[in-house]
Amino acid sequence: MIEANALTKRFGDTVAVSGLSFTVSPGEILGFLGPNGAGKSTTLRMIAGFTKASSGHASIGGHDVASAPLAARRQLGYLPEGAPAWPEMTPHGFLQCLARIRGLSPALARSRLHYTIERLQLDSVLHQRIDTLSKGFKRRVGLAQALLHDPPVLILDEPTDGLDPNQKHEVRSLIKEIAADKTILISTHLLDDVRLLCTRALIIHQGQLVTDATPQSLAARSRFHQAVTLQLHADLLEEDLELIIQLIHAVPGVKDIDIQTPSQTQGYQITAFPAQGQEIYAAIRELASQADWPTQDVRLELGRLDDVFRQITGNSQGQP
Amino acid sequence: MNGFQALYRRELAAYFSTPLAYLFLIIFLVLSGAFGFWLGGFYERNQADLSPFFMFHPWLYLMLVPAVSMRLWAEERHSGSIELLLTLPISTATAVLAKFFAAWTFIGLALALTFPTWLTVNYLGHPDNGAILASYLGSFILAGSYLAIGSALSANTRSQVIAFISSVTVCLLLLLAGQPLVLDACRAWLPNPLVDAISAISLLSHFQAIQRGVLDLRDLIYFALTIGTWLWATTVVIDHQQAD
C-alpha cells in the first residue's frame, strides 16, 4: 500500500509538485505518466523518502516515510532514476552487499540472488565491474537490486528505459508475474508500458494530477476509440478509392474520414471515425467483404494512448 | 548493525578496488619515512625515539587525509548512488559512521605499515615503547579528526576537488589555531577569552601533548568531541540536502 496525501515540493520559487494525492493498493500496477519535467521523479523520490516533501505526507505499508523512515524503507524496493549503483562493484558483489545491508539470512540471500540473477539474465556479466556494463545491463542490475528482498512495495522509475524489445518484454512479464500481492508504482514515458503492464494510470502535468484512470478508459478518450481502419492495396485506382470513400461515408454513424496516402509498399490507410456512441465496425466490414474491396486488413481501433496523452498534456512538453 | 557492518565492508573494499589505495599507501610510507629520517634528523639526533617521525604527521595528513575523505560523499552524490544508499533501511547516522570508520581503518592500515620504522629504532637502541605507542595512538586520532572534517565537507558538494580543497583549508586553520601566526592576528580585534578559546581548539597543541607520551584525558576528550561534532555535522548536512 502506498499513500500520498497532498504531497508538495517547492524548489525555491518553483513548485515542482503541487498537492498530489493518490493511493496504490496491493495487486495494482500504477503507471505514473507525464511529460519530462512534470514532477514524476520528484514525486517518487518523496515517496521513497530520499527527498523531503515541502508539505504533505507519504506512507508505505502504513509507515509514514518522514516519521518512520526505516520501517517504511524495509517494505520498499526502489529503482531510482537512472538506476544508480556503486560503479566499482560487480553485479554479484553489489547484490550480495545489499542482501547483507537488508539483513537477509544467508540461505534466503542465496536463493533470492539466484532468482533475480536468473530472471534478469545477469549471469553473463556477474563478475564484471558495473561501470563497464551497457545501459540495458545497468538497468537490470538496478531492477535486481529493487526485487532482491522480495518487498511488498515496489517503486520503479522508468524500469524499461534503455532495454531492447526482448528485454522490455521480459521485464514486463516479470513485473506482472510478481504483481499479484504487491503494490507497484512505476513511472514511465513509454505508453506501451502503460498499455501492456499497468492496471491504472496517473497523468501528471506541471506538478499536478490531471488524470487517474485505467488504460482502457484512457484509451476510450481517444478520438480513435471505436474507429475503423482499412488497409488497402497500393495499386488501387484513384476512382476506386474515391468510390470506397463515398460508400464508407454513407455508412450510418460515420462522422469523419482520414486518408493516409501510400508510401509505395504500405498502401492506402483509411480511418473512419464514428459519431459519439455509434458502432460502425460491423457495417464497414460487411461492406468491404460484399463489394470485394482490395483490403489487406479491416480493424477496430481501441483508442491510441499517445493521442490521449498529447490531448491531456498539451503542447508544453519539454518545458521545465 | 547488519547495515553498518555490510556498508563498512563495502566501503573498505571500495578503497582497494582502484589503484588509488596502493598509490596512497606508497606515497604515505615514502613521505613519512623521508620526512622523519631526513628532515627530522633521525640519525643525527642520536636518540632512540620516534619524535622526528611523528612530528611531521600533522603536515603529512594535511594533504593525504583529505585525499581519502574527499570521495566519501561527493562521489556518491556525483554518481547518484546516494539515492540508493539513503533509501536503504539504514539511518543517515549509520551510513555516516560506516563510511567514516572504513576510511579511518584504511588510514590506520597505512599507519600500521610504518612498523619497520619502529623495528629500526628498537634495533638501534632502547626507546620508550610506551611513548611510541602513545604517539601512534595520537597520530591515529589526529587522522580521524581530519577525516571527520573531510567527511562533513565532502557531504556538502558533488565535486571531489572542492571537497579536497575545502578540507585542506579547514584542517590547516584548525591545525594552526594555536600558533602565533593565527593568535596574533586574532588578538588585534577579538577579546581575550575568545582568543584563548581559539587557541584551545588547535589540533596541533593537543597532538603535541599526546606525542610527548602523556595521554591526558582532556586531550582525548578534545579529539572525541572534534570527531563527534564533525560527524554530526555530516548527518545534518546530508539530511538538510534532502529537504532542498
Side-chain angles (χ1 to χ4, degrees):
Chain A
M1 179 86 143
I2 298 173
E3 282 174 296
N5 189 358
L7 273 184
T8 299
K9 184 69 192 176
R10 283 181 290 271
F11 295 106
D13 286 338
T14 40
V15 181
V17 177
S18 160
L20 214 55
S21 298
F22 60 89
T23 307
V24 196
S25 310
E28 274 193 304
I29 306 176
L30 183 71
F32 210 54
L33 286 168
N36 286 335
K40 297 191 296 281
S41 291
T42 306
T43 306
L44 297 195
R45 280 187 183 138
M46 283 193 280
I47 299 172
F50 176 66
T51 301
K52 290 193 176 63
S54 307
S55 66
H57 297 280
S59 71
I60 293 174
H63 305 286
D64 189 279
V65 296
S67 61
L70 298 191
R73 289 179 206 167
R74 259 179 228 119
Q75 309 267 308
L76 173 69
Y78 179 44
L79 173 71
E81 184 184 23
W86 289 305
E88 80 286 348
M89 296 181 99
T90 64
H92 188 259
F94 178 63
L95 294 174
Q96 214 164 37
C97 169
L98 285 165
R100 270 194 223 111
I101 291 179
R102 291 189 177 277
L104 268 56
S105 74
L108 183 61
R110 253 196 311 279
S111 79
R112 290 300 301 172
L113 224 66
H114 183 78
Y115 172 80
T116 48
I117 286 167
E118 191 195 315
R119 286 313 304 268
L120 290 155
Q121 299 164 340
L122 294 172
D123 23 327
S124 63
V125 297
L126 223 43
H127 300 289
Q128 278 180 36
R129 283 171 59 117
I130 290 173
D131 57 4
T132 65
L133 300 182
S134 69
K135 202 179 168 196
F137 272 119
K138 279 184 188 156
R139 179 79 31 167
R140 281 180 284 159
V141 169
L143 278 164
Q145 165 274 122
L147 298 175
L148 185 65
H149 49 299
D150 199 17
V153 176
L154 278 169
I155 295 180
L156 309 173
D157 202 339
E158 304 194 338
T160 58
D161 190 43
L163 302 182
D164 70 32
N166 292 332
Q167 296 165 347
K168 278 196 176 89
H169 174 77
E170 282 297 319
V171 165
R172 283 178 193 138
S173 0
L174 175 59
I175 294 176
K176 267 191 189 162
E177 187 184 305
I178 60 172
D181 53 348
K182 288 193 198 308
T183 306
I184 303 178
L185 174 58
I186 68 169
S187 98
T188 181
H189 55 258
L190 300 173
L191 294 160
D192 274 351
D193 277 349
V194 178
R195 197 166 54 82
L196 298 170
L197 186 60
C198 297
T199 58
R200 211 174 113 206
L202 295 185
I203 299 182
I204 65 167
H205 184 41
Q206 294 174 345
Q208 287 179 319
L209 184 62
V210 287
T211 306
D212 179 349
T214 63
Q216 293 79 16
S217 72
L218 212 54
R221 297 189 199 177
S222 161
R223 75 185 189 111
F224 286 91
H225 181 57
Q226 293 293 330
V228 177
T229 298
L230 291 92
Q231 198 78 40
L232 296 162
H233 281 294
D235 49 12
L236 190 73
L237 295 171
E238 287 275 334
E239 307 95 84
D240 289 343
L241 181 67
E242 263 166 44
L243 180 68
I244 288 172
I245 291 170
Q246 274 174 21
L247 285 169
I248 294 177
H249 252 308
V251 171
V254 171
K255 193 179 83 177
D256 203 2
I257 292 181
D258 254 11
I259 305 144
Q260 298 206 318
T261 39
S263 59
Q264 284 297 322
T265 47
Q266 281 186 327
Y268 293 93
Q269 187 174 307
I270 301 177
T271 305
F273 297 96
Q276 186 74 37
Q278 297 282 333
E279 231 277 45
I280 56 171
Y281 177 61
I284 293 177
R285 214 190 143 83
E286 182 75 19
L287 193 65
S289 64
Q290 271 180 7
D292 202 17
W293 292 344
T295 48
Q296 290 168 315
D297 186 26
V298 182
R299 69 171 186 276
L300 179 67
E301 301 255 6
L302 298 172
R304 297 184 184 173
L305 283 174
D306 55 349
D307 181 45
V308 180
F309 183 79
R310 269 199 304 276
Q311 205 177 302
I312 292 174
T313 58
N315 294 320
S316 52
Q317 283 192 44
Q319 277 181 11
Chain B
M1 210 51 213
N2 265 331
F4 176 86
Q5 232 173 28
L7 190 59
Y8 171 83
R9 280 171 66 176
R10 190 214 90 75
E11 286 290 317
L12 194 56
Y15 283 103
F16 292 96
S17 66
T18 63
L20 194 75
Y22 303 99
L23 190 70
F24 177 89
L25 288 176
I26 291 168
I27 291 177
F28 178 79
L29 293 176
V30 168
L31 285 185
S32 67
F35 280 6
F37 284 92
W38 287 292
L39 284 180
F42 175 75
Y43 293 113
E44 291 79 357
R45 287 171 82 245
N46 243 338
Q47 283 181 30
D49 68 7
L50 284 180
S51 51
F53 169 72
F54 287 110
M55 191 169 70
F56 289 102
H57 280 195
W59 307 102
L60 191 58
Y61 287 152
L62 189 59
M63 287 296 149
L64 291 181
V65 173
V68 173
S69 67
M70 67 181 186
R71 62 164 285 281
L72 281 175
W73 291 97
E75 190 181 41
E76 298 267 358
R77 279 161 59 75
H78 184 74
S79 76
S81 54
I82 191 165
E83 191 169 351
L84 176 77
L85 179 61
L86 295 181
T87 51
L88 291 172
I90 51 174
S91 65
T92 309
T94 307
V96 168
L97 287 174
K99 279 173 158 287
F100 168 77
F101 279 107
W104 205 9
T105 306
F106 174 66
I107 301 217
L109 179 71
L111 191 59
L113 286 176
T114 62
F115 72 92
T117 317
W118 173 72
L119 290 180
T120 308
V121 78
N122 269 282
Y123 172 75
L124 292 174
H126 299 283
D128 178 353
N129 279 324
I132 290 178
L133 190 66
S135 296
Y136 264 112
L137 189 68
S139 172
F140 183 56
I141 295 174
L142 179 73
S145 309
Y146 282 20
L147 264 182
I149 293 166
S151 163
L153 294 166
S154 172
N156 209 19
T157 174
R158 46 193 300 149
S159 153
Q160 295 196 38
V161 176
I162 292 176
F164 177 79
I165 292 173
S166 55
S167 302
V168 171
T169 311
V170 172
C171 289
L172 182 66
L173 283 176
L174 280 178
L175 196 57
L176 293 179
Q179 303 298 302
L181 175 74
V182 173
L183 290 183
D184 288 347
C186 293
R187 208 163 269 139
W189 49 279
L190 282 179
N192 264 337
L194 217 54
V195 176
D196 290 345
I198 290 174
S199 128
I201 60 163
S202 162
L203 285 164
L204 196 58
S205 41
H206 290 279
F207 173 68
Q208 282 165 345
I210 295 184
Q211 206 210 329
R212 278 193 291 271
V214 190
L215 275 182
D216 191 326
L217 190 61
R218 278 172 303 179
D219 294 320
L220 293 180
I221 290 175
Y222 162 80
F223 280 114
L225 277 178
T226 303
I227 292 174
T229 308
W230 286 96
L231 289 182
W232 172 77
T234 310
T235 61
V236 170
V237 167
I238 291 168
D239 284 339
H240 178 74
Q241 272 157 354
Q242 287 177 272
D244 273 351

